[in-house]
C-alpha cells in the first residue's frame, strides 16, 4: 500500500529534480518583471522531462542517466541568454510571492490526497473517487520497471508482445523518474507528481497575478480565486437539486484547477506548458533569441506529450490565434525574426513529439471509426428546455450560464482584470499590453475550443472538459491582479463582489477536499487491503515481462465505474487484457474486438470458460500467467486447474491461486 512517508520523500525529490533547472532556465529566458521562483516548477518540469525523454531511447532510464541529463540542463541554462539584449531575470520581489507559494503547496495537497489510500482502524482501505482515473499508474510502473522508452503497453499486447503505447505519457514518464530515483512505488510517485503538477500550476497563477499587479496580495487573491469551485452546491441548496438538474446538464469534468488536478493532473501540467509557451511567444515578439526558441520548442513538445487535447488541439488553435495577434501588433521591425523563431520552434517541437504522435496515429488507424473530433456545441441546458431549442440556446448558455456557474470566481474577476490590463489600467510597464493580449487570446481561444469542439475518441468529451484549463490558469491570475488593484485603490464594492463570488464557490471546494481526504469505503475495501500480499506473491512467481490474466471486473465496487484497481495500483506486472476502460485508452482494438475481449475474460473468470477460451487467452492475448481469487466465480469452477496450458505455481488457502504457463520456466527475480 502507498506510504505517506514515501510520497513526501518523492515530493522532495521532485522539487529538487525540476525546480532547480526551472529556476536557472527562468532566470535565463524569462523577463525581469516576475520572480523566477514562481515559474521554475512548471518550466523545469517541462524542460527536464522532455530532455530526458528525448535521450532515453539511446541511454536508457536509470538514476545515473536522470542525474546526468538534469545536470546538463542546469549547465546549459546560462547559455540560453545568448542573443538577449536585456538583463536576465532576477528574483526581485521573490519575498512577496513566498506566502503565495506556501498557499499553493497547501492547496496542492488536495489533489494529492485523492490518490492516497485511507486506512481505517479495522484495516479496510477507503479510496477517493478520482483514483479511477489514476489506474494509469500501471504505465508508471511499466516505464520504471523496464527503463525502456517507448514503453511496452501494460494493458494489452497481441500474442503477449510488448505492444505499442499510443497514450501521451510524458507525465507518467516524469513520475517514473521519481520511482527510479527514490525507490517509491508507482502509486506513491503518482501521488507526488500529482502534488507537483498542481503546485506548479498554482505557482504559475501566482506569477501571472504578480506580473500584472506586483504585490504580495495579488498572488494570494489569485490562488483564492483558483481554489474556489462551482456554484452548483449553492444553487442546489437555494432552489433544490431537482430544479437545478432540470435547468442545466449535470456536472462534468469541466471545472477548476483543483478538481481537474485531482482527476487528470497530466492535463493540468500540459496547460501550464501552454501558458508558459504563449508567455514566451509574447516576450519573443520584441526580443527573439535562439535560447527562447529552444525553450519554446521544449514547452510545446511537453504540452503535447502530456495531453493531446490541451497541448495538441487547444494549443494549435488558441496559441495559433495568439501568434497571429502578436505578429500583427506594432512595431513591425522584429516581425520577420519573430515568425522565424515561431517556425524554428515549431520544427523543433515537431521532431520531439514525432514518436508519440506517430504511435497515436498508428493506433487510431488500427481502431478505425470516424474522426476523433466533431463540431458540436457543449451541452449545457437540461431537459426543462425543449430538445429542439436546446442546441441553439446551448451556444450562448455556455458563456452566460455554464462558465459563471462552474468558474464563478474567475469568470467575472478574471475578465475584468484582463479588460483593465488591455486598457492599460495596471501601469506603464513595457510589454504588459502585449502579454495581456497574447494571454487573453489564448484564454478566449481555449474557451471557444471547449464550447464548439467535442472529442469522440473515448466515452467522454475530454477535449471540451480539458480545453478550458489554459483559460482557467490565465483568468485566475488576472482575477488576482484585478482584486489586488481594487484593494489598493479601495474600491470596496468591486472587491466585495469578487470576495462574494469566491465564497459562493467554497462549498464545492470543501466537498472536493473532504472527499479526497476521507475517501469512500465500499464492500470491497476490506478485501483490497489484503491485496498487496497477493501481488507480492505474483511477483515472486511471474517474471516482469510476462502478461497476467486477472479478472478485469474484480473489486469493481471500489470505484463508481468498474475497473480492476487492484491490478493497476499494486501488481507491477503487465496484463494481457485489463478491461474495456483501460483498453479504450491504451489498446489498438476496434470496438468489436474490445467487446469480444471483455466477454471472453468475463466468461472465464465467471467460471464459464472452456478449453478453447483458455487457448485463445494463451495464444491471442499472450497470457503467460493467471490469477484466480476467492472473489471470482472461477474460484469454484476453475477452468485453469484442468487446462494443460497452465500449471499451479502457488496457492493461498481460501484466497488465491497463481498459475503460470506450462511452458514457462523459472520464476521472477
Amino acid at each position: 500500500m502507498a506510504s505517506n512517508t514515501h510520497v513526501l520523500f518523492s515530493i522532495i525529490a521532485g522539487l529538487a529534480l525540476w525546480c532547480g533547472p526551472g529556476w536557472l532556465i527562468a532566470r535565463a529566458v524569462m523577463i525581469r518583471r516576475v520572480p523566477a521562483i514562481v515559474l521554475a516548477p512548471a518550466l523545469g518540469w517541462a524542460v527536464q522531462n522532455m530532455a530526458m525523454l528525448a535521450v532515453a531511447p539511446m541511454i536508457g532510464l536509470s538514476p545515473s542517466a536522470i542525474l546526468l541529463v538534469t545536470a546538463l540542463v542546469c549547465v546549459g541554462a546560462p547559455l540560453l541568454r545568448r542573443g538577449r539584449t536585456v538583463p536576465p531575470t532576477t528574483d526581485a520581489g521573490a519575498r512577496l510571492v513566498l506566502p503565495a507559494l506556501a498557499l499553493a503547496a497547501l492547496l496542492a495537497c488536495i489533489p494529492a490526497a485523492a490518490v492516497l489510500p485511507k486506512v481505517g482502524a479495522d484495516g479496510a482501505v477507503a479510496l477517493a473517487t478520482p483514483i479511477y482515473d489514476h489506474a494509469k499508474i500501471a504505465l508508471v510502473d511499466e516505464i520504471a520497471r523496464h527503463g525502456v522508452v517507448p514503453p511496452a503497453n501494460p494493458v494489452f499486447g497481441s500474442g503477449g508482445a510488448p505492444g505499442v503505447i499510443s497514450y501521451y505519457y510524458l507525465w507518467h514518464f516524469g513520475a517514473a523518474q521519481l520511482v527510479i530515483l527514490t525507490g517509491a512505488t508507482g502509486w506513491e510517485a503518482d501521488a507526488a507528481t500529482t502534488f507537483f503538477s498542481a503546485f506548479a500550476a498554482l505557482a504559475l497563477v501566482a506569477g501571472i497575478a504578480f506580473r500584472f499587479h506586483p504585490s504580495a496580495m495579488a498572488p494570494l487573491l489569485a490562488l483564492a480565486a483558483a481554489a474556489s469551485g462551482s456554484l452548483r452546491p449553492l444553487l442546489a441548496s437555494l432552489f433544490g437539486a431537482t430544479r437545478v438538474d432540470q435547468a442545466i446538464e449535470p456536472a462534468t469534468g469541466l471545472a477548476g484547477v483543483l478538481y481537474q488536478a485531482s482527476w487528470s493532473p497530466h492535463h493540468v501540467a500540459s496547460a501550464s506548458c501552454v501558458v508558459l509557451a504563449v508567455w514566451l511567444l509574447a516576450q519573443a515578439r520584441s526580443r527573439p533569441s535562439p535560447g527562447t526558441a529552444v525553450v519554446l520548442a521544449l514547452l510545446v513538445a511537453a504540452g503535447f506529450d502530456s495531453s493531446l487535447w490541451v497541448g495538441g488541439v487547444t494549443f494549435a488553435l488558441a496559441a495559433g490565434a495568439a501568434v497571429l495577434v502578436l505578429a500583427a501588433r506594432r512595431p513591425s521591425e522584429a516581425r520577420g525574426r519573430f515568425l522565424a523563431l515561431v517556425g524554428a520552434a515549431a520544427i523543433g517541437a515537431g521532431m520531439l513529439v514525432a514518436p508519440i504522435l506517430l504511435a497515436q496515429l498508428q493506433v487510431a488507424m488500427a481502431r478505425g471509426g470516424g474522426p476523433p473530433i466533431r463540431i458540436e456545441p457543449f451541452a449545457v441546458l437540461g431537459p426543462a428546455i425543449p430538445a429542439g431549442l436546446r442546441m441553439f440556446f446551448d451556444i450562448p448558455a455556455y458563456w452566460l450560464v455554464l462558465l459563471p456557474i462552474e468558474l464563478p470566481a474567475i469568470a467575472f474577476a478574471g475578465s475584468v482584470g484582463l479588460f483593465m490590463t488591455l486598457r492599460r489600467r495596471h501601469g506603464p510597464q513595457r510589454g504588459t499590453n502585449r502579454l495581456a493580449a497574447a494571454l487573453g487570446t489564448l484564454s478566449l481561444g481555449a474557451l471557444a475550443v471547449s464550447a464548439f469542439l467535442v472529442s469522440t475518441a473515448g466515452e467522454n468529451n475530454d477535449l471540451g472538459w480539458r480545453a478550458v484549463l489554459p483559460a482557467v490558469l490565465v483568468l485566475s491570475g488576472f482575477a488576482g491582479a484585478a482584486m489586488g488593484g481594487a484593494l489598493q485603490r479601495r474600491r470596496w464594492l468591486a472587491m466585495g463582489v469578487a470576495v462574494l463570488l469566491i465564497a459562493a464557490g467554497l462549498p464545492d471546494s470543501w466537498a472536493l477536499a473532504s472527499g479526497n481526504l476521507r475517501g469512500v469505503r465500499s464492500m470491497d475495501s476490506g478485501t483490497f487491503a489484503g491485496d498487496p500480499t497477493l501481488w507480492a506473491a505474483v511477483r515472486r512467481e511471474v517474471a516482469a515481462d510476462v502478461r497476467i490474466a486477472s479478472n478485469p471486473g474484480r473489486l469493481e465496487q471500489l470505484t463508481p465505474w468498474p475497473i480492476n484497481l487492484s491490478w493497476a495500483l499494486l501488481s507491477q506486472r503487465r496484463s494481457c487484457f485489463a478491461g474495456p476502460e483501460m483498453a479504450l485508452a491504451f489498446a489498438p482494438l476496434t470496438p468489436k474486438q474490445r467487446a469480444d475481449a471483455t466477454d471472453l475474460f468475463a466468461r472465464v473468470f465467471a467460471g464459464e470458460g472452456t478449453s478453447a477460451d483458455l487457448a485463445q487467452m494463451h495464444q491471442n492475448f499472450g497470457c503467460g500467467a493467471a490469477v484466480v481469487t476467492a472473489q471470482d466465480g472461477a474460484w469454484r469452477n476453475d477452468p485453469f486447474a484442468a487446462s494443460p496450458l497452465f500449471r499451479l505455481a502457488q496457492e493461498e488457502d481460501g484466497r488465491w491461486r497463481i498459475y503460470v504457463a506450462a511452458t514457462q520456466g523459472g520464476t521472477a527475480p
Side-chain angles (χ1 to χ4, degrees):
M1 207 66 67
S3 161
N4 292 344
T5 301
H6 293 167
V7 171
L8 179 59
F9 185 49
S10 297
I11 289 173
I12 295 172
L15 291 171
L17 181 66
W18 294 315
C19 289
W23 182 74
L24 293 171
I25 296 167
R27 285 175 60 88
V29 302
M30 301 302 287
I31 55 179
R32 299 176 60 190
R33 300 187 185 103
V34 64
I37 192 172
V38 294
L39 307 177
L43 192 56
W45 181 90
V47 173
Q48 190 276 342
N49 271 292
M50 276 310 308
M52 189 68 236
L53 183 64
V55 301
M58 296 173 284
I59 67 173
L61 195 58
S62 65
S64 58
I66 294 170
L67 295 177
L68 173 63
V69 170
T70 305
L72 290 175
V73 170
C74 293
V75 171
L79 301 177
L80 298 171
R81 296 179 184 174
R82 294 190 175 185
R84 287 176 54 85
T85 58
V86 295
T89 299
T90 66
D91 276 317
R95 287 183 298 177
L96 295 177
V97 299
L98 288 179
L101 289 177
L103 178 59
L106 182 62
L107 291 173
C109 293
I110 295 174
V115 188
L116 297 174
K118 294 82 182 169
V119 182
D122 58 352
V125 177
L127 297 172
T129 304
I131 194 65
Y132 173 84
D133 259 13
H134 290 264
K136 300 179 183 72
I137 286 168
L139 180 54
V140 177
D141 282 325
E142 172 64 33
I143 297 171
R145 187 166 59 249
H146 295 278
V148 176
V149 176
N153 191 326
V155 170
F156 171 81
S158 180
V164 177
I165 269 289
S166 66
Y167 202 76
Y168 26 89
Y169 58 81
L170 181 69
W171 189 91
H172 307 86
F173 176 84
Q177 289 191 74
L178 297 186
V179 174
I180 293 169
L181 289 175
T182 66
T185 64
W187 190 353
E188 293 159 346
D190 185 285
T193 312
T194 297
F195 168 91
F196 189 90
S197 299
F199 172 69
L202 293 170
L204 179 57
V205 166
I208 295 171
F210 187 88
R211 173 64 179 83
F212 293 105
H213 188 81
S215 67
M217 285 303 299
L220 288 171
L221 292 169
L223 293 182
S228 183
S230 171
L231 292 182
R232 286 179 185 268
L234 179 63
L235 294 175
S237 65
L238 292 175
F239 305 107
T242 302
R243 289 184 178 178
V244 174
D245 290 342
Q246 285 292 311
I248 57 176
E249 287 285 328
T252 62
L254 190 155
V257 64
L258 293 183
Y259 181 93
Q260 300 233 34
S262 299
W263 284 85
S264 300
H266 53 297
H267 294 300
V268 175
S270 178
S272 298
C273 296
V274 167
V275 173
L276 278 172
V278 172
W279 193 328
L280 266 182
L281 283 167
Q283 175 182 302
R285 176 61 179 87
S286 61
R287 303 181 186 93
S289 70
T292 300
V294 171
V295 176
L296 183 59
L298 291 167
L299 281 171
V300 173
F304 179 89
D305 282 358
S306 301
S307 169
L308 169 64
W309 305 124
V310 179
V313 176
T314 304
F315 178 81
L317 297 175
V323 168
L324 295 178
V325 168
L326 289 169
R329 293 180 69 87
R330 295 179 179 274
S332 60
E333 294 80 37
R335 187 174 297 155
R337 293 179 61 195
F338 170 70
L339 293 176
L341 178 144
V342 172
I347 293 172
M351 295 173 64
L352 290 169
V353 306
I356 290 181
L357 175 60
L358 292 175
Q360 291 186 78
L361 292 175
Q362 177 184 345
V363 172
M365 292 176 62
R367 287 174 176 165
I373 299 173
R374 67 171 182 263
I375 300 175
E376 180 181 307
F378 196 102
V380 178
L381 301 175
I385 308 300
L389 299 175
R390 203 175 301 159
M391 181 173 292
F392 176 77
F393 286 111
D394 273 342
I395 296 175
Y398 176 88
W399 304 94
L400 301 176
V401 177
L402 183 65
L403 293 182
I405 288 177
E406 299 298 352
L407 307 169
I410 66 174
F412 170 74
S415 300
V416 170
L418 174 60
F419 178 76
M420 291 172 62
T421 305
L422 291 173
R423 292 284 302 270
R424 302 181 185 275
R425 296 283 182 85
H426 281 176
Q429 301 110 318
R430 183 183 177 189
T432 295
N433 189 270
R434 180 176 59 248
L435 177 59
L439 293 178
T441 303
L442 170 67
S443 300
L444 181 61
L447 294 174
V449 169
S450 172
F452 295 109
L453 297 183
V454 173
S455 58
T456 61
E459 296 177 344
N460 300 315
N461 178 19
D462 281 320
L463 174 58
W465 297 356
R466 313 308 177 194
V468 300
L469 278 167
V472 167
L473 299 185
V474 170
L475 292 178
S476 296
F478 277 112
M483 288 186 283
L487 189 63
Q488 183 183 48
R489 292 187 292 273
R490 300 185 180 183
R491 294 183 176 176
W492 304 121
L493 178 60
M495 191 66 193
V497 171
V499 170
L500 184 63
L501 289 172
I502 291 175
L506 290 181
D508 185 56
S509 301
W510 176 257
L512 173 69
S514 178
N516 286 356
L517 290 167
R518 291 186 302 174
V520 179
R521 291 178 62 123
S522 72
M523 58 186 300
D524 289 330
S525 295
T527 303
F528 179 75
D531 276 6
T533 307
L534 159 66
W535 293 109
V538 171
R539 289 192 294 274
R540 287 193 297 269
E541 300 293 340
V542 180
D545 59 349
V546 173
R547 294 193 177 274
I548 298 172
S550 61
N551 185 358
R554 183 172 179 267
L555 307 187
E556 62 183 11
Q557 298 299 319
L558 284 172
T559 58
W561 306 275
I563 196 170
N564 191 341
L565 274 182
S566 178
W567 163 79
L569 303 184
L570 300 171
S571 73
Q572 299 180 40
R573 287 294 183 270
R574 297 172 184 168
S575 172
C576 44
F577 182 73
E581 292 80 11
M582 295 291 281
L584 184 63
F586 287 154
L589 299 173
T590 65
K592 183 180 186 307
Q593 290 172 329
R594 197 163 55 244
D596 290 345
T598 300
D599 291 342
L600 170 65
F601 279 74
R603 188 166 61 247
V604 168
F605 284 96
E608 301 169 359
T610 65
S611 57
D613 290 334
L614 266 62
Q616 184 179 359
M617 290 172 63
H618 181 61
Q619 296 169 10
N620 298 347
F621 291 84
C623 298
V627 177
V628 179
T629 69
Q631 292 74 47
D632 302 326
W635 182 257
R636 293 171 296 279
N637 185 26
D638 191 346
F640 295 96
S643 173
L645 299 174
F646 296 90
R647 61 177 177 83
L648 183 65
Q650 200 261 340
E651 180 174 5
E652 181 74 10
D653 187 35
R655 295 186 64 188
W656 66 70
R657 303 183 190 111
I658 302 171
Y659 294 92
V660 297
T663 57
Q664 178 181 321
T667 60

